[in-house]
Amino acid sequence: MTGGAGSGGRAPSRSETLYERARRYLPGGVSRNTVLRSPHPLYAAYGQGARVTDIEGVTRIDFANNMASLIHGHANPAVVAAVTEQLRKGTAFTLATEVEVRYAEHLCGRNAGFEKVRFVNSGTEAVMSCLKAARAFTGRARIAKVEGAYHGLYDYAEVSQTAGPANWGDPDRPLSVPVADGTPAGALEDVVVIPFNDPETALAILDRHRDDLACVLVDPLPHRVGLMPATAEFVGALRDWTRRHDTLLVFDEVITFRSEFGGAQQWYDVQPDLTAMGKIIGGGFPVGALAGRREVMDVMDPLVSHVRFPLSGTFSANPITMTAGLVTMELFDRLAVARVNRLAERARAGIDEAIRETGVGACVTGGGSMFRVHLKPRPPRNYREAFVGPDESRLLRGLIDHLLEDGFIMINTGTAAVSTAMGNDEIDGLVEAVRRWFERSRAELP
Ligand SMILES: Cc1ncc(COP(=O)(O)O)c(C=O)c1O
C-alpha cells in the first residue's frame, strides 16, 4: 500500500491528502483494517438509505453496511429522530435507564430461549462474556471453536482464525494457531479446534476433551469459513454432545441475528444455552449483548453474596445505543426480515445465473440476508476449502475494485449484507455489475 499523494504530477485528491495525514498518527493510517484499500481508504462524507457518498463526491450503493451491522442502511429517519431526542437528554449516566429495560423486553420477546439478556459494547465483548459465563457456570476453562471462524479479538475466541496451510495441521486434529504474536501458550492450550460441518470428526475431537470443556462456540453462518450455513446434522450433533457432557452450547449470532426474527438459530430445531449478539442490534452504534437460559445468565447476577462472573462496562446499555437499537429492531419485524432475505435470495440466484451463463469458475454462498462470492468453482465446505490463496486474493481485489468503479461497495472478502433500504433495483444493479466483471475477467478466472 502506498500513500500515492500527488502521484503522476497531478494535485492530490482530498482522500490522498487525508490518508497522508492519517498515516502520521494512526498505525497504517487506519483504526480498523477493514477500511484499508490501495492506494488509500475511501473516506465517507455521508450516507442515506442504501447509498454512501465519499468525500470526493462519489455515491455508491452500500452492500457492506458497516460490516453487516446496518440493517436499515444509513441515517434511517426513525432512528435519527429517536437518537436526536435522546442526545438532548444526555448520552450516558451512572444511573440505569428505562430504555434499557424496554429493549431487554423486546429482545427477549424475539426468541423463547432468551430468558435474560446483558448488554455490552461490541461483538468481541459479547463473545468473551459468553465464554466467561460458560466457564463460571461449568467451573471448566477450555472452550471449543470451529477452525477459521471469526469471533472477535478475545485471545481464546480468535485462536485458529487466521490458520493457513503452513500451520493448520492435520484435518482430523486441527492445531490451535495464534493470531497475534505473544498470545499466551495457555490460551492456545485451552482452545480445542474442530472442523466445520463435519460432525464425525468434530465429535471425535470433542470426546478427547469431554471432561474439561466449558462450551462449544459456533456461528451458524460463519463468514470467514465460507458463509455456508451450518448443517442441521452438525448443529444437532453439537447440541446432543454438549448436553451429554454438561458443556454449554454457545451461538455467535453477532452477524447472523439479522437472518431470522430471533436469529439464525431458528433455522434449527435446537436452542443454544447462550447467544452472543452485536452489529444490527445497536442500530448503528457500538453494541454487544448476550442472552440465554436464566440459570446460566444468573452467573452475572450481582445480587448474591458470591458473584460468579462480575460483568460491567462504562458504556454498557448507554441510552443512545439502547434507543437506536430498540427503534431499529422494532422496525425489523417479521415482514422486514422476510423481505431482506428475499432480496438476498434474488441476488444469490442472479449471480448464480451469471456464473452459469459466463462459464466462469466462481460460486456464491450465503443465507438469510447475506451472500459471498467465491472465485472457486465449487462452494467451500469448511475453512480449508474456503481459504483464499494469493491468486484468488488478487482476483478478488479486482472484483472489489471493479464494483467500486461501477458504484457498489462490498466487504473485501466478496461478501454482501442486504439492508431494508434496498429494493430489486439495487440487487439487480449489483448482479449486472458482477456479471460484467465475470465477462471481462473470464480469461483470468479458474
Ligand atoms: C461472527 C462475529 N463475531 C464477533 C465479531 C466481533 O464483533 P465486534 O467487531 O463488534 O467486536 C464479529 C465482527 O465482525 C463477527 O463477525
Side-chain angles (χ1 to χ4, degrees), residues 67 121-127 149-153 219 221-224 252-256 276-279 286-288:
M67 298 300 285
N121 302 291
S122 67
T124 290
E125 224 184 303
V127 171
Y150 183 71
H151 298 291
L153 301 178
D219 176 336
L221 183 71
H223 170 207
R224 300 262 167 191
D252 180 348
E253 294 235 41
V254 168
I255 281 197
T256 58
M277 289 168 278
K279 302 226 186 222
V287 79

PDB file of all heavy atoms in Angstrom, residues 67 121-127 149-153 219 221-224 252-256 276-279 286-288, ligand 1:
ATOM      1  N   MET A  67     -19.812  -3.538   7.733  1.00  0.00           N
ATOM      2  CA  MET A  67     -19.583  -4.940   8.086  1.00  0.00           C
ATOM      3  C   MET A  67     -20.870  -5.605   8.607  1.00  0.00           C
ATOM      4  O   MET A  67     -20.888  -6.235   9.666  1.00  0.00           O
ATOM      5  CB  MET A  67     -18.460  -5.070   9.122  1.00  0.00           C
ATOM      6  CG  MET A  67     -17.118  -4.578   8.624  1.00  0.00           C
ATOM      7  SD  MET A  67     -16.524  -5.479   7.154  1.00  0.00           S
ATOM      8  CE  MET A  67     -15.984  -7.023   7.843  1.00  0.00           C
ATOM      9  N   ASN A 121     -20.608  -3.737  24.810  1.00  0.00           N
ATOM     10  CA  ASN A 121     -20.312  -2.678  23.831  1.00  0.00           C
ATOM     11  C   ASN A 121     -19.835  -3.126  22.454  1.00  0.00           C
ATOM     12  O   ASN A 121     -19.651  -2.302  21.572  1.00  0.00           O
ATOM     13  CB  ASN A 121     -19.276  -1.727  24.425  1.00  0.00           C
ATOM     14  CG  ASN A 121     -19.775  -1.127  25.711  1.00  0.00           C
ATOM     15  OD1 ASN A 121     -20.703  -0.337  25.706  1.00  0.00           O
ATOM     16  ND2 ASN A 121     -19.205  -1.542  26.823  1.00  0.00           N
ATOM     17  N   SER A 122     -19.576  -4.416  22.301  1.00  0.00           N
ATOM     18  CA  SER A 122     -19.112  -4.896  20.987  1.00  0.00           C
ATOM     19  C   SER A 122     -19.384  -6.392  20.887  1.00  0.00           C
ATOM     20  O   SER A 122     -19.660  -7.057  21.906  1.00  0.00           O
ATOM     21  CB  SER A 122     -17.611  -4.649  20.821  1.00  0.00           C
ATOM     22  OG  SER A 122     -16.886  -5.458  21.739  1.00  0.00           O
ATOM     23  N   GLY A 123     -19.259  -6.897  19.675  1.00  0.00           N
ATOM     24  CA  GLY A 123     -19.397  -8.337  19.475  1.00  0.00           C
ATOM     25  C   GLY A 123     -18.271  -9.090  20.168  1.00  0.00           C
ATOM     26  O   GLY A 123     -18.477 -10.173  20.722  1.00  0.00           O
ATOM     27  N   THR A 124     -17.077  -8.517  20.131  1.00  0.00           N
ATOM     28  CA  THR A 124     -15.936  -9.128  20.823  1.00  0.00           C
ATOM     29  C   THR A 124     -16.278  -9.344  22.294  1.00  0.00           C
ATOM     30  O   THR A 124     -16.061 -10.426  22.858  1.00  0.00           O
ATOM     31  CB  THR A 124     -14.705  -8.187  20.723  1.00  0.00           C
ATOM     32  OG1 THR A 124     -14.261  -8.179  19.366  1.00  0.00           O
ATOM     33  CG2 THR A 124     -13.570  -8.640  21.622  1.00  0.00           C
ATOM     34  N   GLU A 125     -16.819  -8.298  22.903  1.00  0.00           N
ATOM     35  CA  GLU A 125     -17.150  -8.359  24.323  1.00  0.00           C
ATOM     36  C   GLU A 125     -18.298  -9.346  24.580  1.00  0.00           C
ATOM     37  O   GLU A 125     -18.324 -10.022  25.619  1.00  0.00           O
ATOM     38  CB  GLU A 125     -17.583  -6.954  24.758  1.00  0.00           C
ATOM     39  CG  GLU A 125     -17.012  -6.487  26.060  1.00  0.00           C
ATOM     40  CD  GLU A 125     -17.590  -5.124  26.433  1.00  0.00           C
ATOM     41  OE1 GLU A 125     -17.455  -4.169  25.640  1.00  0.00           O
ATOM     42  OE2 GLU A 125     -18.181  -5.032  27.492  1.00  0.00           O
ATOM     43  N   ALA A 126     -19.232  -9.427  23.648  1.00  0.00           N
ATOM     44  CA  ALA A 126     -20.362 -10.354  23.813  1.00  0.00           C
ATOM     45  C   ALA A 126     -19.865 -11.796  23.801  1.00  0.00           C
ATOM     46  O   ALA A 126     -20.243 -12.609  24.651  1.00  0.00           O
ATOM     47  CB  ALA A 126     -21.387 -10.131  22.699  1.00  0.00           C
ATOM     48  N   VAL A 127     -18.982 -12.112  22.824  1.00  0.00           N
ATOM     49  CA  VAL A 127     -18.449 -13.484  22.752  1.00  0.00           C
ATOM     50  C   VAL A 127     -17.595 -13.771  23.986  1.00  0.00           C
ATOM     51  O   VAL A 127     -17.720 -14.824  24.623  1.00  0.00           O
ATOM     52  CB  VAL A 127     -17.627 -13.675  21.456  1.00  0.00           C
ATOM     53  CG1 VAL A 127     -16.894 -15.012  21.469  1.00  0.00           C
ATOM     54  CG2 VAL A 127     -18.533 -13.586  20.230  1.00  0.00           C
ATOM     55  N   ALA A 149     -13.118 -19.698  12.198  1.00  0.00           N
ATOM     56  CA  ALA A 149     -14.268 -18.813  12.476  1.00  0.00           C
ATOM     57  C   ALA A 149     -13.802 -17.543  13.179  1.00  0.00           C
ATOM     58  O   ALA A 149     -12.987 -17.597  14.092  1.00  0.00           O
ATOM     59  CB  ALA A 149     -15.297 -19.541  13.334  1.00  0.00           C
ATOM     60  N   TYR A 150     -14.362 -16.420  12.750  1.00  0.00           N
ATOM     61  CA  TYR A 150     -14.049 -15.129  13.365  1.00  0.00           C
ATOM     62  C   TYR A 150     -15.075 -14.843  14.451  1.00  0.00           C
ATOM     63  O   TYR A 150     -16.282 -14.838  14.202  1.00  0.00           O
ATOM     64  CB  TYR A 150     -14.090 -14.004  12.313  1.00  0.00           C
ATOM     65  CG  TYR A 150     -13.692 -12.666  12.899  1.00  0.00           C
ATOM     66  CD1 TYR A 150     -12.366 -12.433  13.244  1.00  0.00           C
ATOM     67  CD2 TYR A 150     -14.619 -11.665  13.142  1.00  0.00           C
ATOM     68  CE1 TYR A 150     -11.982 -11.216  13.819  1.00  0.00           C
ATOM     69  CE2 TYR A 150     -14.240 -10.450  13.709  1.00  0.00           C
ATOM     70  CZ  TYR A 150     -12.922 -10.241  14.041  1.00  0.00           C
ATOM     71  OH  TYR A 150     -12.536  -9.048  14.612  1.00  0.00           O
ATOM     72  N   HIS A 151     -14.570 -14.621  15.663  1.00  0.00           N
ATOM     73  CA  HIS A 151     -15.470 -14.300  16.780  1.00  0.00           C
ATOM     74  C   HIS A 151     -14.990 -13.059  17.517  1.00  0.00           C
ATOM     75  O   HIS A 151     -15.275 -12.897  18.705  1.00  0.00           O
ATOM     76  CB  HIS A 151     -15.514 -15.466  17.768  1.00  0.00           C
ATOM     77  CG  HIS A 151     -16.048 -16.758  17.224  1.00  0.00           C
ATOM     78  ND1 HIS A 151     -17.366 -16.932  16.886  1.00  0.00           N
ATOM     79  CD2 HIS A 151     -15.440 -17.939  16.958  1.00  0.00           C
ATOM     80  CE1 HIS A 151     -17.552 -18.172  16.449  1.00  0.00           C
ATOM     81  NE2 HIS A 151     -16.395 -18.800  16.483  1.00  0.00           N
ATOM     82  N   GLY A 152     -14.212 -12.198  16.869  1.00  0.00           N
ATOM     83  CA  GLY A 152     -13.696 -11.018  17.557  1.00  0.00           C
ATOM     84  C   GLY A 152     -12.308 -11.276  18.122  1.00  0.00           C
ATOM     85  O   GLY A 152     -11.637 -12.240  17.746  1.00  0.00           O
ATOM     86  N   LEU A 153     -11.888 -10.418  19.040  1.00  0.00           N
ATOM     87  CA  LEU A 153     -10.470 -10.307  19.389  1.00  0.00           C
ATOM     88  C   LEU A 153     -10.046 -10.964  20.704  1.00  0.00           C
ATOM     89  O   LEU A 153      -8.863 -10.905  21.050  1.00  0.00           O
ATOM     90  CB  LEU A 153     -10.087  -8.820  19.480  1.00  0.00           C
ATOM     91  CG  LEU A 153     -10.307  -8.013  18.205  1.00  0.00           C
ATOM     92  CD1 LEU A 153      -9.929  -6.557  18.444  1.00  0.00           C
ATOM     93  CD2 LEU A 153      -9.496  -8.574  17.059  1.00  0.00           C
ATOM     94  N   ASP A 219     -20.774 -20.402  15.108  1.00  0.00           N
ATOM     95  CA  ASP A 219     -21.507 -19.393  14.335  1.00  0.00           C
ATOM     96  C   ASP A 219     -22.282 -20.169  13.268  1.00  0.00           C
ATOM     97  O   ASP A 219     -21.684 -20.929  12.502  1.00  0.00           O
ATOM     98  CB  ASP A 219     -20.473 -18.440  13.692  1.00  0.00           C
ATOM     99  CG  ASP A 219     -21.103 -17.388  12.782  1.00  0.00           C
ATOM    100  OD1 ASP A 219     -22.211 -17.607  12.274  1.00  0.00           O
ATOM    101  OD2 ASP A 219     -20.448 -16.350  12.548  1.00  0.00           O
ATOM    102  N   LEU A 221     -23.491 -19.340  10.501  1.00  0.00           N
ATOM    103  CA  LEU A 221     -23.214 -18.976   9.096  1.00  0.00           C
ATOM    104  C   LEU A 221     -21.865 -18.243   9.095  1.00  0.00           C
ATOM    105  O   LEU A 221     -21.805 -17.022   8.890  1.00  0.00           O
ATOM    106  CB  LEU A 221     -24.341 -18.077   8.561  1.00  0.00           C
ATOM    107  CG  LEU A 221     -24.287 -17.633   7.104  1.00  0.00           C
ATOM    108  CD1 LEU A 221     -24.574 -18.791   6.159  1.00  0.00           C
ATOM    109  CD2 LEU A 221     -25.295 -16.505   6.849  1.00  0.00           C
ATOM    110  N   PRO A 222     -20.789 -18.961   9.356  1.00  0.00           N
ATOM    111  CA  PRO A 222     -19.522 -18.255   9.617  1.00  0.00           C
ATOM    112  C   PRO A 222     -18.915 -17.651   8.348  1.00  0.00           C
ATOM    113  O   PRO A 222     -18.571 -18.356   7.404  1.00  0.00           O
ATOM    114  CB  PRO A 222     -18.627 -19.350  10.214  1.00  0.00           C
ATOM    115  CG  PRO A 222     -19.213 -20.640   9.749  1.00  0.00           C
ATOM    116  CD  PRO A 222     -20.659 -20.416   9.471  1.00  0.00           C
ATOM    117  N   HIS A 223     -18.793 -16.349   8.383  1.00  0.00           N
ATOM    118  CA  HIS A 223     -18.335 -15.572   7.233  1.00  0.00           C
ATOM    119  C   HIS A 223     -16.981 -16.057   6.721  1.00  0.00           C
ATOM    120  O   HIS A 223     -16.807 -16.362   5.544  1.00  0.00           O
ATOM    121  CB  HIS A 223     -18.291 -14.098   7.701  1.00  0.00           C
ATOM    122  CG  HIS A 223     -17.641 -13.153   6.768  1.00  0.00           C
ATOM    123  ND1 HIS A 223     -17.052 -12.000   7.203  1.00  0.00           N
ATOM    124  CD2 HIS A 223     -17.486 -13.176   5.425  1.00  0.00           C
ATOM    125  CE1 HIS A 223     -16.558 -11.356   6.159  1.00  0.00           C
ATOM    126  NE2 HIS A 223     -16.805 -12.036   5.080  1.00  0.00           N
ATOM    127  N   ARG A 224     -15.996 -16.139   7.627  1.00  0.00           N
ATOM    128  CA  ARG A 224     -14.625 -16.494   7.203  1.00  0.00           C
ATOM    129  C   ARG A 224     -14.471 -17.967   6.867  1.00  0.00           C
ATOM    130  O   ARG A 224     -13.447 -18.372   6.338  1.00  0.00           O
ATOM    131  CB  ARG A 224     -13.638 -16.133   8.312  1.00  0.00           C
ATOM    132  CG  ARG A 224     -13.637 -14.681   8.675  1.00  0.00           C
ATOM    133  CD  ARG A 224     -12.518 -13.957   7.977  1.00  0.00           C
ATOM    134  NE  ARG A 224     -12.694 -12.530   8.069  1.00  0.00           N
ATOM    135  CZ  ARG A 224     -11.989 -11.637   7.381  1.00  0.00           C
ATOM    136  NH1 ARG A 224     -11.064 -12.039   6.544  1.00  0.00           N
ATOM    137  NH2 ARG A 224     -12.215 -10.366   7.519  1.00  0.00           N
ATOM    138  N   ASP A 252     -22.610 -17.833  18.264  1.00  0.00           N
ATOM    139  CA  ASP A 252     -22.198 -16.473  17.940  1.00  0.00           C
ATOM    140  C   ASP A 252     -23.118 -15.970  16.836  1.00  0.00           C
ATOM    141  O   ASP A 252     -22.993 -16.361  15.670  1.00  0.00           O
ATOM    142  CB  ASP A 252     -20.735 -16.446  17.482  1.00  0.00           C
ATOM    143  CG  ASP A 252     -20.280 -15.032  17.130  1.00  0.00           C
ATOM    144  OD1 ASP A 252     -21.133 -14.136  17.015  1.00  0.00           O
ATOM    145  OD2 ASP A 252     -19.063 -14.840  16.948  1.00  0.00           O
ATOM    146  N   GLU A 253     -24.076 -15.129  17.218  1.00  0.00           N
ATOM    147  CA  GLU A 253     -25.016 -14.559  16.234  1.00  0.00           C
ATOM    148  C   GLU A 253     -24.759 -13.060  16.067  1.00  0.00           C
ATOM    149  O   GLU A 253     -25.687 -12.291  15.794  1.00  0.00           O
ATOM    150  CB  GLU A 253     -26.460 -14.837  16.669  1.00  0.00           C
ATOM    151  CG  GLU A 253     -26.805 -16.331  16.654  1.00  0.00           C
ATOM    152  CD  GLU A 253     -28.021 -16.626  15.801  1.00  0.00           C
ATOM    153  OE1 GLU A 253     -28.147 -16.031  14.698  1.00  0.00           O
ATOM    154  OE2 GLU A 253     -28.843 -17.446  16.245  1.00  0.00           O
ATOM    155  N   VAL A 254     -23.508 -12.668  16.257  1.00  0.00           N
ATOM    156  CA  VAL A 254     -23.165 -11.248  16.115  1.00  0.00           C
ATOM    157  C   VAL A 254     -23.530 -10.769  14.706  1.00  0.00           C
ATOM    158  O   VAL A 254     -24.103  -9.688  14.542  1.00  0.00           O
ATOM    159  CB  VAL A 254     -21.672 -11.024  16.441  1.00  0.00           C
ATOM    160  CG1 VAL A 254     -21.217  -9.627  16.029  1.00  0.00           C
ATOM    161  CG2 VAL A 254     -21.426 -11.232  17.934  1.00  0.00           C
ATOM    162  N   ILE A 255     -23.229 -11.586  13.704  1.00  0.00           N
ATOM    163  CA  ILE A 255     -23.651 -11.229  12.334  1.00  0.00           C
ATOM    164  C   ILE A 255     -25.028 -11.807  12.035  1.00  0.00           C
ATOM    165  O   ILE A 255     -25.879 -11.151  11.454  1.00  0.00           O
ATOM    166  CB  ILE A 255     -22.654 -11.758  11.275  1.00  0.00           C
ATOM    167  CG1 ILE A 255     -21.425 -10.870  11.186  1.00  0.00           C
ATOM    168  CG2 ILE A 255     -23.323 -11.826   9.912  1.00  0.00           C
ATOM    169  CD1 ILE A 255     -20.592 -11.055   9.933  1.00  0.00           C
ATOM    170  N   THR A 256     -25.252 -13.063  12.418  1.00  0.00           N
ATOM    171  CA  THR A 256     -26.400 -13.793  11.866  1.00  0.00           C
ATOM    172  C   THR A 256     -27.721 -13.471  12.531  1.00  0.00           C
ATOM    173  O   THR A 256     -28.750 -13.984  12.105  1.00  0.00           O
ATOM    174  CB  THR A 256     -26.169 -15.310  11.974  1.00  0.00           C
ATOM    175  OG1 THR A 256     -25.963 -15.636  13.362  1.00  0.00           O
ATOM    176  CG2 THR A 256     -24.960 -15.736  11.174  1.00  0.00           C
ATOM    177  N   ALA A 276     -24.462 -14.902  21.603  1.00  0.00           N
ATOM    178  CA  ALA A 276     -23.805 -13.593  21.528  1.00  0.00           C
ATOM    179  C   ALA A 276     -24.406 -12.826  20.362  1.00  0.00           C
ATOM    180  O   ALA A 276     -24.611 -13.382  19.281  1.00  0.00           O
ATOM    181  CB  ALA A 276     -22.308 -13.766  21.321  1.00  0.00           C
ATOM    182  N   MET A 277     -24.695 -11.552  20.593  1.00  0.00           N
ATOM    183  CA  MET A 277     -25.213 -10.686  19.520  1.00  0.00           C
ATOM    184  C   MET A 277     -24.391  -9.411  19.425  1.00  0.00           C
ATOM    185  O   MET A 277     -23.591  -9.115  20.318  1.00  0.00           O
ATOM    186  CB  MET A 277     -26.678 -10.331  19.797  1.00  0.00           C
ATOM    187  CG  MET A 277     -27.624 -11.485  19.613  1.00  0.00           C
ATOM    188  SD  MET A 277     -29.268 -11.106  20.293  1.00  0.00           S
ATOM    189  CE  MET A 277     -28.998 -11.470  22.007  1.00  0.00           C
ATOM    190  N   GLY A 278     -24.608  -8.646  18.383  1.00  0.00           N
ATOM    191  CA  GLY A 278     -23.903  -7.384  18.194  1.00  0.00           C
ATOM    192  C   GLY A 278     -24.429  -6.743  16.922  1.00  0.00           C
ATOM    193  O   GLY A 278     -25.584  -6.940  16.525  1.00  0.00           O
ATOM    194  N   LYS A 279     -23.592  -5.945  16.252  1.00  0.00           N
ATOM    195  CA  LYS A 279     -23.912  -5.378  14.931  1.00  0.00           C
ATOM    196  C   LYS A 279     -25.300  -4.747  14.865  1.00  0.00           C
ATOM    197  O   LYS A 279     -25.522  -3.713  15.464  1.00  0.00           O
ATOM    198  CB  LYS A 279     -23.718  -6.462  13.871  1.00  0.00           C
ATOM    199  CG  LYS A 279     -22.257  -7.003  13.919  1.00  0.00           C
ATOM    200  CD  LYS A 279     -21.605  -7.128  12.625  1.00  0.00           C
ATOM    201  CE  LYS A 279     -20.259  -7.797  12.736  1.00  0.00           C
ATOM    202  NZ  LYS A 279     -19.213  -7.224  11.956  1.00  0.00           N
ATOM    203  N   PRO A 286     -22.101   1.353  18.633  1.00  0.00           N
ATOM    204  CA  PRO A 286     -21.371   0.178  19.136  1.00  0.00           C
ATOM    205  C   PRO A 286     -22.217  -0.602  20.143  1.00  0.00           C
ATOM    206  O   PRO A 286     -22.820  -0.004  21.044  1.00  0.00           O
ATOM    207  CB  PRO A 286     -20.147   0.791  19.840  1.00  0.00           C
ATOM    208  CG  PRO A 286     -20.015   2.160  19.267  1.00  0.00           C
ATOM    209  CD  PRO A 286     -21.402   2.600  18.915  1.00  0.00           C
ATOM    210  N   VAL A 287     -22.224  -1.923  19.982  1.00  0.00           N
ATOM    211  CA  VAL A 287     -23.097  -2.741  20.854  1.00  0.00           C
ATOM    212  C   VAL A 287     -22.648  -4.184  20.888  1.00  0.00           C
ATOM    213  O   VAL A 287     -21.965  -4.678  19.986  1.00  0.00           O
ATOM    214  CB  VAL A 287     -24.568  -2.689  20.362  1.00  0.00           C
ATOM    215  CG1 VAL A 287     -24.788  -3.598  19.179  1.00  0.00           C
ATOM    216  CG2 VAL A 287     -25.546  -3.038  21.479  1.00  0.00           C
ATOM    217  N   GLY A 288     -23.043  -4.852  21.924  1.00  0.00           N
ATOM    218  CA  GLY A 288     -22.988  -6.304  22.015  1.00  0.00           C
ATOM    219  C   GLY A 288     -24.037  -6.707  23.027  1.00  0.00           C
ATOM    220  O   GLY A 288     -24.526  -5.867  23.799  1.00  0.00           O
TER     221      GLY A 288
HETATM  222  C1  LIG B   1     -19.339 -13.525  13.961  1.00  0.00           C
HETATM  223  C2  LIG B   1     -18.677 -12.372  14.649  1.00  0.00           C
HETATM  224  N1  LIG B   1     -18.444 -12.428  15.961  1.00  0.00           N
HETATM  225  C3  LIG B   1     -17.880 -11.408  16.631  1.00  0.00           C
HETATM  226  C4  LIG B   1     -17.485 -10.268  15.968  1.00  0.00           C
HETATM  227  C5  LIG B   1     -16.843  -9.130  16.715  1.00  0.00           C
HETATM  228  O1  LIG B   1     -17.707  -8.051  16.769  1.00  0.00           O
HETATM  229  P1  LIG B   1     -17.119  -6.555  17.017  1.00  0.00           P
HETATM  230  O2  LIG B   1     -16.386  -6.175  15.785  1.00  0.00           O
HETATM  231  O3  LIG B   1     -18.347  -5.734  17.288  1.00  0.00           O
HETATM  232  O4  LIG B   1     -16.229  -6.659  18.225  1.00  0.00           O
HETATM  233  C6  LIG B   1     -17.705 -10.169  14.590  1.00  0.00           C
HETATM  234  C7  LIG B   1     -17.285  -8.960  13.837  1.00  0.00           C
HETATM  235  O5  LIG B   1     -17.208  -8.921  12.639  1.00  0.00           O
HETATM  236  C8  LIG B   1     -18.303 -11.251  13.914  1.00  0.00           C
HETATM  237  O6  LIG B   1     -18.495 -11.198  12.590  1.00  0.00           O
END
